[in-house]
Amino acid sequence: MVFNRSRQTLLLFTLATYLSGATSDTVESKGHSLRRRLQEEPATGALTQANEQVKNRKTHVEFNLPGSAAEWCSPPILPPLPYEECKDKTKVNSVPLYGGLTNSLKMVLLGAIKSFEEDRCFFVDESGSELGRRNDPRQSIDSIIDRYFEPIGIKSDSEAVKTAKTNNAIDVRDWKVVWEIIRNRRQYGETYNIDSLNYPNIEGHNLKYVMLRRMWRPLPHIRDQTCTSLGDHVQGDEFMTFSVRRGDKGTENFAFATPQQYIDMAEKAIRSHFGGQVPTIFVATDDCTIMEEFREMRPTWKFVSECDKEQTVGHSGFALGDMNQWSQKDTDAHYAKFFVELYAMATAKYFIGVWYTNVSWWAYFMREADRTTYLMLDTPGTEMFSLDW
């Protein structure tokens, strides 16, 4: 039986399963019961408890943010993924960090899904990542994941990983597996069975939507710092976000979106989503020189950005290769800015982004499912890109 459900229902189902005590060992006995209750008695039992937890989340108001920020500026309502509960003990999966942060997280998300589909434990391999490596070893960061997020996967130095390495029982789940094999991208409209998590016949985008929330969990102080900064920018009002990515993307044969493209699409969104009233526009960008251009083009509009704060690195475009020169202080400052920008993309009433950065892909799955609130600008070199990925 195909068990279709909306994303909101899926979140509630996941939470209800957790609250009822269902684990991978009790899915058969408890999962079917929960599914039946979800279909026949949606206001009873574990689902009622799940609904109450949703209602009682910490309010976004304390950060001076609109209601759209309630989810990401509150403690997670869903439980973390059960990384230690894997039935297949013959192999351990390795998911390497590769590229910039959102490219890395994208591949880790898909690698985590693949691992739970196989019912295997996995660890994140940061040994080859440029994100924490520095020319000055004193400034290197052992784990970008641990520095900013709750644990993802089992520890790379755990006994399970050590034993698997000794026994040559490590399978790598890198981009060649989770991206080049099209089915493993978990595309829109395709369905999958993740039995270990009691997700039968789950649609691909719904799967990524809920798995992201169970896997990617910024540490509480990072979340609160991020939401406080965003609230200082937008002052509780509904807002629009532009994502402007330049920097090293120019070396990948993509043409940058022009400032005029953003303005043209913003004017349409102002009419369709803001009743003709120009909202605050948050500009998320690695190239802060764009701010002067926007302000000159529309001097009566209110543009806000982390660029208005003093920048120590990356003012005129982010390049991954520059990170090896950074200090730990530079790294923390860069990601503090980036997280504010990412939250702005995720929680804006309307978002305008570009195809050629994984930041837009990640923000898409942080947002709600309504595609009418999200626009990707077309530029030469991005003709084959699709929101269905």
Side-chain angles (χ1 to χ4, degrees):
M1 176 184 68
V2 176
F3 182 47
N4 295 316
R5 47 191 176 270
S6 68
R7 290 185 180 178
Q8 183 65 22
T9 305
L10 178 61
L11 296 180
L12 293 173
F13 176 81
T14 299
L15 184 55
T17 303
Y18 174 70
L19 292 171
S20 72
T23 66
S24 57
D25 295 328
T26 61
V27 161
E28 197 66 27
S29 61
K30 293 188 177 182
H32 293 302
S33 172
L34 280 168
R35 286 199 292 275
R36 186 168 58 252
R37 286 160 65 184
L38 198 62
Q39 291 170 313
E40 298 173 1
E41 304 174 59
T44 63
L47 187 57
T48 299
Q49 191 177 357
N51 269 311
E52 287 304 309
Q53 286 218 204
V54 173
K55 292 177 183 176
N56 292 331
R57 287 186 296 177
K58 186 172 66 174
T59 177
H60 55 283
V61 175
E62 65 181 273
F63 296 114
N64 204 16
L65 288 166
S68 56
E71 177 184 14
W72 288 106
C73 289
S74 304
I77 64 166
L78 294 182
L81 289 165
Y83 297 117
E84 304 283 349
E85 298 177 15
C86 37
K87 286 185 177 178
D88 182 357
K89 304 294 186 181
T90 63
K91 295 275 190 177
V92 172
N93 287 347
S94 167
V95 181
L97 286 193
Y98 178 81
L101 182 61
T102 45
N103 181 77
S104 295
L105 289 172
K106 172 181 176 179
M107 297 307 165
V108 171
L109 175 64
L110 295 175
I113 293 172
K114 182 63 177 174
S115 297
F116 278 98
E117 184 177 54
E118 296 173 318
D119 213 344
R120 291 182 182 175
C121 290
F122 76 92
F123 68 98
V124 178
D125 180 5
E126 299 189 55
S127 62
S129 174
E130 297 177 78
L131 296 178
R133 189 187 308 132
R134 302 291 178 265
N135 290 341
D136 181 349
R138 295 170 299 177
Q139 300 302 324
S140 292
I141 296 171
D142 292 336
S143 173
I144 290 290
I145 298 293
D146 291 346
R147 193 173 184 90
Y148 302 113
F149 313 121
E150 292 182 16
I152 299 176
I154 62 175
K155 290 291 186 182
S156 59
D157 60 355
S158 67
E159 287 302 317
V161 173
K162 291 177 181 177
T163 299
K165 288 181 177 179
T166 299
N167 295 334
N168 196 27
I170 299 288
D171 276 350
V172 177
R173 295 293 180 248
D174 60 8
W175 64 273
K176 293 179 182 179
V177 175
V178 301
W179 191 253
E180 286 196 347
I181 299 174
I182 301 299
R183 180 166 174 77
N184 289 341
R185 294 185 187 184
R186 318 298 170 172
Q187 295 190 122
Y188 181 78
E190 299 289 334
T191 58
Y192 305 87
N193 292 309
I194 312 296
D195 294 335
S196 65
L197 295 174
N198 194 25
Y199 292 152
N201 295 297
I202 182 173
E203 189 274 327
H205 277 203
N206 285 345
L207 174 60
K208 287 185 283 196
Y209 178 90
V210 74
M211 289 289 284
L212 184 150
R213 283 154 175 76
R214 298 188 68 182
M215 183 197 85
W216 187 71
R217 304 155 76 89
L219 294 169
H221 74 277
I222 298 291
R223 180 188 66 234
D224 290 353
Q225 169 187 302
T226 298
C227 294
T228 297
S229 294
L230 182 57
D232 290 343
H233 285 298
V234 303
Q235 295 295 305
D237 296 328
E238 292 181 328
F239 63 100
M240 185 187 305
T241 294
F242 294 172
S243 174
V244 183
R245 177 71 165 96
R246 292 178 173 177
D248 55 9
K249 286 296 176 181
T251 67
E252 298 179 22
N253 298 318
F254 295 122
F256 296 147
T258 66
Q260 190 64 53
Q261 283 181 279
Y262 287 94
I263 296 298
D264 291 345
M265 293 301 102
E267 288 179 334
K268 291 182 179 180
I270 288 165
R271 293 191 296 271
S272 63
H273 288 76
F274 296 91
Q277 300 297 311
V278 180
T280 295
I281 298 177
F282 184 99
V283 181
T285 182
D286 65 324
D287 184 355
C288 292
T289 62
I290 194 69
M291 297 303 298
E292 184 177 354
E293 295 182 62
F294 283 139
R295 286 166 174 159
E296 287 180 352
M297 294 174 73
R298 290 295 183 273
T300 63
W301 290 13
K302 181 182 179 182
F303 295 98
V304 299
S305 176
E306 285 287 284
C307 287
D308 293 327
K309 300 177 181 178
E310 183 179 355
Q311 305 293 314
T312 59
V313 293
H315 184 273
S316 300
F318 171 76
L320 183 63
D322 292 342
M323 293 187 74
N324 59 17
Q325 303 173 42
W326 292 2
S327 67
Q328 291 187 2
K329 183 178 179 180
D330 291 336
T331 304
D332 287 339
H334 168 77
Y335 284 121
K337 172 181 178 290
F338 177 72
F339 294 144
V340 175
E341 295 174 335
L342 191 58
Y343 272 47
M345 297 178 218
T347 63
K349 186 174 184 179
Y350 196 87
F351 171 58
I352 299 175
V354 288
W355 292 109
Y356 47 81
T357 171
N358 285 295
V359 176
S360 295
W361 190 96
W362 194 260
Y364 173 70
F365 288 103
M366 288 179 69
R367 293 177 65 83
E368 293 301 321
D370 185 358
R371 292 191 180 190
T372 68
T373 68
Y374 188 100
L375 176 70
M376 301 291 274
L377 298 174
D378 293 323
T379 59
T382 64
E383 293 84 0
M384 300 301 293
F385 285 49
S386 171
L387 279 181
D388 289 347
W389 287 358

